[in-house]
Every structure is written in C-alpha cells, then in structure tokens.
Amino acid sequence: RLLMPNTMLSSIVSTLALLSVLSPGSSFSVTVFGGSGFTGSRVCKILVDKGASVTSISKSGTVPKWCAGEEWTNNVDWKSADLLSADDASLDNAVGNPDAVVSCVGVVGTDPDTLLKGNGNANVAAFNSAKRGGKLQRAAYVSVGSEVDACKENWLPEFFKSYFEGKIIAEKSAIDAMGGDATKVCLVKPTFIRRF
C-alpha cells in the first residue's frame, strides 16, 4: 500500500510547470535528487510524462525495481553520486546545469548525526551544485508536514530533533539556490512517507 497522495507529486510538477515550458517535446531539464527512491522515482515518471528532460541523481544511479522495464525509464538519465562524499567537481559533473531541481532526499533512523547529514547536508550539497550550474529557474523540496513537526516536542524521541534541523537547513538551502527568492521554490510538506 502506498501512503503518498498523488496531489503531493502533482504539486511539485505543477510548480515547475509555471515556467510554461513543460510540454511534449520540451527541452526543459529537471534533475531529481533521490530519483531512484520511493518518492523521487515517481516524480521522475511524472516529469517524463510531462515532456521534461529528466536526470536522476542517487547513490545507486539505477532504475528502481518497481519500474524496471517500464518504457518511461529509458527517458531518464540515471546517474550515481553520493551527495555527502562527492567533491564539488564530481557532483557538478553529474548534476549538470538543469533548469529546475526536485530534491526528494531524506533519511530516517535513530542516529542524530545521520539524520542531520542525510536531511540537511546532503540537500545543501545538491542545491549548491544545481545553483553552480547557472541555469536554475525553479526548485522543489520534499520536506515534512507541520503536523509531524508539532509532535517533536511531546511525542517523538529526542534524537528526531536532528531530523527536523536537517529539514530546516534543506529548506533554506533550496531558497538560497534561487537567490533568496522563495517564490521560485515549492516546499512540499507531507506527513511521513512510507510503504506498507
């Protein structure tokens, strides 16, 4: 069972479509960070269906099992890069100079350092690389919903503080990548996304 409303994915694509260039045959390029993951791969599919030129950046750089063999996957440039360990030049080479980026990068777990790096530092590296590409017009980031954030004081374990700190760092980095213009950033804030 899937706990991720299609409206969340549609809002990401709709925000990017504000550029009025997502039409069949478009040369509009979008890089999806975490594109081999649960959410990111579905974002890649929708973007391909809308006519965008799509690059997926993930640690594996491979097509996810759920969609292996589907025709749309041939229209994604699947690249491997570790956002936490790649040097700027290697990451910039993988990312290129996209018109827009979508970051679906995030981690859960119990180690505060892993939560901070995986939700914060990895996204900072991603958005910084996209900004260095010089063509960035829009950015989208899958963050966390306010109803989850409201639980951090009384319900969630203490180690989760780093999860929220990382998400805040990533949101700021997305806005910074757009020169501080928050109107060019779509912050999607779902509750936790997971498979059952």
Side-chain angles (χ1 to χ4, degrees):
R1 202 171 107 196
L2 173 66
L3 179 61
M4 178 175 51
N6 284 335
T7 53
M8 180 189 81
L9 298 175
S10 295
S11 67
I12 292 170
V13 174
S14 295
T15 298
L16 299 176
L18 290 174
L19 296 171
S20 301
V21 293
L22 282 181
S23 58
S26 170
S27 62
F28 187 70
S29 62
V30 182
T31 296
V32 180
F33 297 106
S36 291
F38 182 71
T39 302
S41 58
R42 286 154 176 88
V43 169
C44 287
K45 181 182 185 321
I46 291 171
L47 289 167
V48 166
D49 290 347
K50 294 287 186 180
S53 173
V54 180
T55 298
S56 165
I57 304 289
S58 65
K59 282 185 185 180
S60 71
T62 60
V63 176
K65 289 180 183 177
W66 76 267
C67 58
E70 291 190 20
E71 188 174 329
W72 69 267
T73 62
N74 297 321
N75 295 315
V76 176
D77 188 4
W78 303 94
K79 294 184 176 183
S80 175
D82 187 329
L83 296 172
L84 292 174
S85 65
D87 60 70
D88 287 353
S90 297
L91 187 55
D92 291 353
N93 185 51
V95 174
N97 54 352
D99 297 306
V101 293
V102 178
S103 180
C104 302
V105 172
V107 300
V108 293
T110 58
D111 178 60
D113 189 52
T114 299
L115 291 171
L116 184 62
K117 287 179 181 176
N119 292 295
N121 300 15
N123 282 295
V124 169
F127 287 117
N128 284 346
S129 178
K131 183 178 181 180
R132 287 190 298 269
K135 283 182 41 183
L136 198 59
Q137 300 172 47
R138 292 269 192 242
Y141 172 60
V142 179
S143 188
V144 64
S146 58
E147 52 281 325
V148 177
D149 187 50
C151 296
K152 69 182 174 190
E153 298 299 324
N154 300 315
W155 184 71
L156 292 171
E158 179 67 27
F159 63 80
F160 246 88
K161 179 180 178 185
S162 294
Y163 172 87
F164 294 102
E165 289 173 358
K167 293 289 187 181
I168 290 167
I169 289 167
E171 288 178 12
K172 289 178 181 175
S173 182
I175 294 168
D176 289 346
M178 298 312 309
D181 186 350
T183 65
K184 294 182 178 181
V185 178
C186 175
L187 297 176
V188 180
K189 296 190 169 200
T191 58
F192 286 117
I193 300 170
R194 58 174 285 207
R195 285 177 272 203
F196 288 103

